[in-house]
Amino acid sequence: MILQPCCNDASCVDVCPVDCIHPTPDEPGFMTSEMLHIDPDTCIDCGACVDECPVDAIRADHELEPEQERYLGINANYFQFHPMQSNGYNAVGSPFKGVDFTGRRIAVVGSGPAAFYAATELASIRGIEVEMYDRLLTPYGLVRAGVAPDHPGTKAVTDLFRAVGGKKSVRIHLGVEIGTEISHEELLEHHDAVIYATGASNDRRLGIPGEDLPGSHAAAEFVGWYNGHPDYADRSYDLTSERAVIVGNGNVALDIARVLLVSPAELENTDIADHALEALRGSKIREVVVLGRRGSAQAAYTNPELIGLMNAADIDIVLSADEAEPDATTLAALEAGTAEPSTALKVELAREIAAGASHGAEPNRKRIVLRFCVSPDEILGEESVTSVRLIHNELRTDESGTVKAERTSTEEMLDTGLILRSVGYHGSEIPGVPFDSGVGVIPNKEGRVIDNAGEPVSGTYATGWIKRGPTGVIGTNKKCAAETVRSLLEDIAADRLPRSRADRAELDLLLEKKAPDALDFPAWARIDKAEVSAGKDAGRPRVKFVGLDEMRLAAQPPSTDLS
C-alpha cells in the first residue's frame, strides 16, 4: 500500500517485476495523479518497491496504522475506476545505443528536483559531462526550502540526489547566478547545451486593493522564512492576532496552516529555522482560515495532504455543511458513479469534516477553518492589515465542462492581522532566454526552448516548473526531465548540436573570473555535515545555517597545518 508521503517519481514502477504500480509514466493520468497505487491482484509481495521507494511511503496492508486504513479504499477505488494498462516506460538512454556522447558537456541551471532528475538521466549516459549551477550556496531547491519541516519523509529524496552529485561526471557550482554573473551566451560557449530548471519562485498577486499593506505577505516568502531560506531569514511576521487568513487552498496553504498552529514542542524536533521556531513560540494565532474560490471538489490540495491534516493532534478542522457540498455537475457525477475517485474522495472528506468526524470542534482548541466559494475583494487597514472583505461565489459549469466561480453580491468581513497569499507561483525571466511572461514559463516543445516563431533555440532546453508551470509533486519532475533529456539526446544523435569549442579547463577559468566564490559539492557536504552535527547536539535532524557567511565558514576544508 502506498501512503501519503508518495513522491510520484515512479522509482517503484521501474523495479516492479509484474507491472502492478499505476499510473505509470507512460499512462495519461501520471502527470496529474496525486499519488501512485499498487494493484493487489497483480502484486507478488516481492518487496522491490519497498526497497526502492525514496521516501519510505510503502507498507504492507497488515502493517497499516488505524489512521492509514483509509488508503485501502483509495487504492481499491483507483483500480475500479481505471483499467489496467501495460507499462512501456523505458530508460531515457535506451534508444541511443551506438551514439557516441563522449565529451558532451551539458549545463543544468538549478539544483532542485527537476534539475537533479535531469542530471540523473544525463549521468546515466556514458561520456556525458554535467555541470550544475545554482545561485544559492545550498542545493535541493524546494526540498530544502519548501517542504514543511514536519514532513521529513518527503525530504528523504535528497539521498538520491546526493548520490548523483557525488558522481565523477557531475560537478555542482553553488553561489553562481546565471543571467547576471554568467550570461546565457557564455554558458552556451562553454557547454554543448543548457537545461534550465529554475522553477517558479515568484508568488502570483491577487490584484486587489490593500494587497501591499503590512501584514499581507506572499506565502512562498513565509515558507522560505520558516525553512531558513537566506533570502527571507531576516523577515518578520506579526503573529499577535488570533486569526490568520490564507488565500488559496493548495498543499502549501495547508502546510502553512499546520505550521502556524502546531505545538512548538512538535516543531522542536524538526529542521525548522531557529528564528521561526522562536517566533512561533510567542504566536497568539489560534485560528487559520483557508480560502478557496471554488468548491470542495475543485480544492487545490491533494487528498493525502488533507488526510494527514485530519490526523493531526490538537488541531480541529472546521467546515460548514453548506460549503462542503459540491457543485451541481460534480454532484450529478457522484450520483451516477462516474466521478473521478480523487474528486469523489475530496467531497467525501469535506462532508466528513463538516459532520465533525475529524475531531469534533471544541471552543478552546486551535482550529483550521476551510472556506469554499469565497474570494478576497479588498484587504483593509490603516497602517497594517486589520480585516479582509470576502465576496461569495456561485459555481457555474461552462461549455467545456470547467467549473468556474462567479461573483455574487453577498459579502462578509473577516478580522485578521495576517494574510498570506498562496494562489500559485510564477517563473522568472533569464536574460537572453525566451520567456512567456503571461504564464511565467520558458516556451518549449517537449523541453526544446522555442522562439516567438515557434522554432527551436539551438542548445537550449527547459524542465520542471519553468517548463510546464507550477504543477505536480516532487516526483512528477522525473518524467518531465526524462522528456527534456530525451529531446536533447535526440538532437545530439541527429547532429543538430555542435560541440562546444571550449574545454573544461576554459570553463574553470570562466568560473574563476566570474564567480570566484562559488562552492562545489564537497563544500556543500561540509555544510551539510556541520548542520547535521549541530542538530544531533540539539536532538534535531539538523540546525540550518541561514547566513551566507556562516555557510561559507562551514564549507571550508579542515586545516592541514601540522605546525
Side-chain angles (χ1 to χ4, degrees), residues 39 57 82 117 127 165 253 277 339 372 395 424 445 469 479 494 543 553:
D39 176 25
H82 295 277
Y117 281 124
L277 180 59
F372 293 107
L395 299 182
K445 292 181 180 178
K479 181 182 179 181
V543 174
L553 183 61

Side-chain angles (χ1 to χ4, degrees), residues 327-341:
D327 59 281
T329 300
T330 300
L331 185 60
L334 290 170
E335 293 174 346
T338 58
E340 173 71 32

Side-chain angles (χ1 to χ4, degrees), residues 536-558:
K536 186 177 181 180
D537 294 339
R540 302 170 60 185
R542 70 175 61 236
V543 174
K544 289 180 177 176
F545 296 124
V546 297
L548 301 184
D549 290 341
E550 59 182 350
M551 289 183 192
R552 291 192 179 280
L553 183 61
Q556 295 301 312

Side-chain angles (χ1 to χ4, degrees), residues 339-524:
E340 173 71 32
S342 62
T343 301
L345 182 56
K346 281 186 178 178
V347 175
E348 178 187 331
L349 294 175
R351 287 170 170 171
E352 184 176 318
I353 292 169
S358 60
H359 283 301
E362 298 179 11
N364 295 324
R365 286 163 60 99
K366 294 180 180 180
R367 66 183 201 163
I368 295 171
V369 181
L370 298 182
R371 296 293 308 274
F372 293 107
C373 295
V374 289
S375 299
D377 192 54
E378 183 180 8
I379 298 173
L380 304 170
E382 293 294 330
E383 297 181 354
S384 63
V385 171
T386 57
S387 62
V388 57
R389 177 182 290 115
L390 304 180
I391 293 293
H392 289 218
N393 301 322
E394 288 184 350
L395 299 182
R396 310 285 187 190
T397 304
D398 64 15
E399 295 179 355
S400 68
T402 302
V403 177
K404 295 187 174 181
E406 294 184 358
R407 291 167 57 100
T408 70
S409 59
T410 303
E411 63 179 53
E412 65 176 285
M413 299 293 295
L414 198 60
D415 292 337
T416 182
L418 177 65
I419 293 178
L420 297 168
R421 310 182 301 270
S422 184
V423 291
Y425 297 93
H426 199 270
S428 299
E429 184 174 3
I430 299 155
V433 181
F435 186 70
D436 185 336
S437 59
V439 292
V441 301
I442 295 175
N444 67 92
K445 292 181 180 178
E446 296 181 334
R448 295 181 178 93
V449 175
I450 57 175
D451 59 21
N452 291 335
E455 294 299 317
V457 178
S458 179
T460 310
Y461 303 81
T463 189
W465 281 7
I466 198 65
K467 168 188 174 183
R468 68 182 191 274
T471 61
V473 294
I474 289 173
T476 312
N477 293 293
K478 184 175 183 180
K479 181 182 179 181
C480 182
E483 178 186 66
T484 295
V485 172
R486 185 180 294 272
S487 294
L488 188 157
L489 296 179
E490 286 175 352
D491 291 343
I492 292 177
D495 228 7
R496 290 191 285 264
L497 284 184
R499 288 181 178 271
S500 169
R501 291 190 294 271
D503 58 21
R504 256 186 169 170
E506 292 175 273
L507 172 60
D508 289 343
L509 288 175
L510 176 70
L511 288 169
E512 185 177 346
K513 177 182 178 181
K514 295 296 187 74
D517 296 326
L519 301 182
D520 57 16
F521 202 64
W524 153 247

Side-chain angles (χ1 to χ4, degrees), residues 167-382:
K167 287 180 176 291
K168 290 183 178 179
S169 61
V170 178
R171 299 198 308 178
I172 299 179
H173 312 280
L174 301 169
V176 181
E177 187 160 9
I178 302 302
T180 55
E181 294 175 310
I182 295 177
S183 69
H184 169 66
E185 291 74 18
E186 287 172 320
L187 273 189
L188 284 179
E189 288 174 7
H190 293 79
H191 304 80
D192 297 351
V194 180
I195 298 177
Y196 285 98
T198 50
S201 57
N202 297 324
D203 274 80
R204 294 184 182 275
R205 293 180 60 81
L206 299 174
I208 61 174
E211 184 172 8
D212 294 319
L213 275 171
S216 171
H217 307 276
E221 295 179 2
F222 188 75
V223 171
W225 171 74
Y226 67 62
N227 272 319
H229 192 298
D231 288 354
Y232 310 116
D234 61 350
R235 301 293 173 90
S236 61
Y237 297 91
D238 186 355
L239 307 179
T240 59
S241 64
E242 291 194 354
R243 176 187 291 135
V245 174
I246 303 175
V247 183
N249 60 10
N251 285 354
V252 171
L254 297 194
D255 279 345
I256 293 173
R258 189 182 64 257
V259 169
L260 282 170
L261 295 180
V262 72
S263 166
E266 292 188 38
L267 294 174
E268 288 173 354
N269 298 318
T270 73
D271 66 356
I272 189 171
D274 285 347
H275 58 257
L277 180 59
E278 187 61 29
L280 289 168
R281 283 195 181 105
S283 173
K284 303 299 183 184
I285 295 173
R286 301 195 59 79
E287 177 181 278
V288 179
V289 181
V290 180
L291 307 179
R293 64 184 178 87
R294 294 192 293 171
S296 60
Q298 294 82 35
Y301 54 70
T302 61
N303 287 314
E305 190 70 25
L306 182 60
I307 291 171
L309 188 62
M310 292 168 68
N311 292 326
D314 301 324
I315 300 176
D316 286 329
I317 308 179
V318 179
L319 172 60
S320 73
D322 289 344
E323 292 187 8
E325 287 304 302
D327 59 281
T329 300
T330 300
L331 185 60
L334 290 170
E335 293 174 346
T338 58
E340 173 71 32
S342 62
T343 301
L345 182 56
K346 281 186 178 178
V347 175
E348 178 187 331
L349 294 175
R351 287 170 170 171
E352 184 176 318
I353 292 169
S358 60
H359 283 301
E362 298 179 11
N364 295 324
R365 286 163 60 99
K366 294 180 180 180
R367 66 183 201 163
I368 295 171
V369 181
L370 298 182
R371 296 293 308 274
F372 293 107
C373 295
V374 289
S375 299
D377 192 54
E378 183 180 8
I379 298 173
L380 304 170
E382 293 294 330

Side-chain angles (χ1 to χ4, degrees), residues 112-163:
F116 264 103
Y117 281 124
T120 300
E121 298 284 4
L122 290 167
S124 69
I125 307 298
R126 184 182 297 274
I128 285 185
E129 301 171 354
V130 182
E131 308 280 349
M132 298 182 71
Y133 301 87
D134 199 297
R135 71 177 186 88
L136 298 178
L137 297 180
T138 56
Y140 309 141
L142 287 180
V143 178
R144 177 179 170 92
V147 174
D150 57 348
H151 279 10
T154 305
K155 301 183 183 188
V157 72
T158 57
D159 292 341
L160 295 178
F161 301 158
R162 187 180 299 110

